[in-house]
Amino acid sequence: ALADLVPPAEAAAHARTLLAPVTAHPALPETLRTWLSLHGSWDRTAVALSVHRNTVRQRIARCAALLETDLDDPDVRMELWFALRHI
């Protein structure tokens, strides 16, 4: 698999560095992971997390701000998805 091209220790170090701004807030990584796994669906993410969809929107906006990135960019989403798999 593509994820196997990077040694696990290096992938974990990269993930910790990349996601450091959001890992200080426990709900943010879980929300981001769920949102990405559901292809950016606010409603399905809200149902999966048992929160209101506006809560999902606020958390994702907070992730984007903390990570200083554009979550509409598919390359960014892919990198975050791989990183979330290693934390």
Side-chain angles (χ1 to χ4, degrees), residues 29-44:
E30 178 186 11
T31 301
L32 184 58
R33 178 183 288 113
T34 304
W35 183 76
L36 289 170
S37 75
L38 296 171
H39 309 286
S41 171
W42 307 112
D43 293 328
R44 293 185 341 190

Side-chain angles (χ1 to χ4, degrees), residues 22 30 39 42 73-74 79-81:
V22 297
E30 178 186 11
H39 309 286
W42 307 112
D73 182 330
E79 183 175 12
L80 290 172
W81 177 251

Side-chain angles (χ1 to χ4, degrees), residues 4 13 15-16 18 24 26 35 41 51-52 54 57 68 78 87:
D4 295 333
R16 283 190 303 274
L18 179 67
W35 183 76
S41 171
V51 298
H52 193 275
N54 287 344
R57 287 180 187 268
E68 299 178 354
M78 181 186 68
I87 63 166

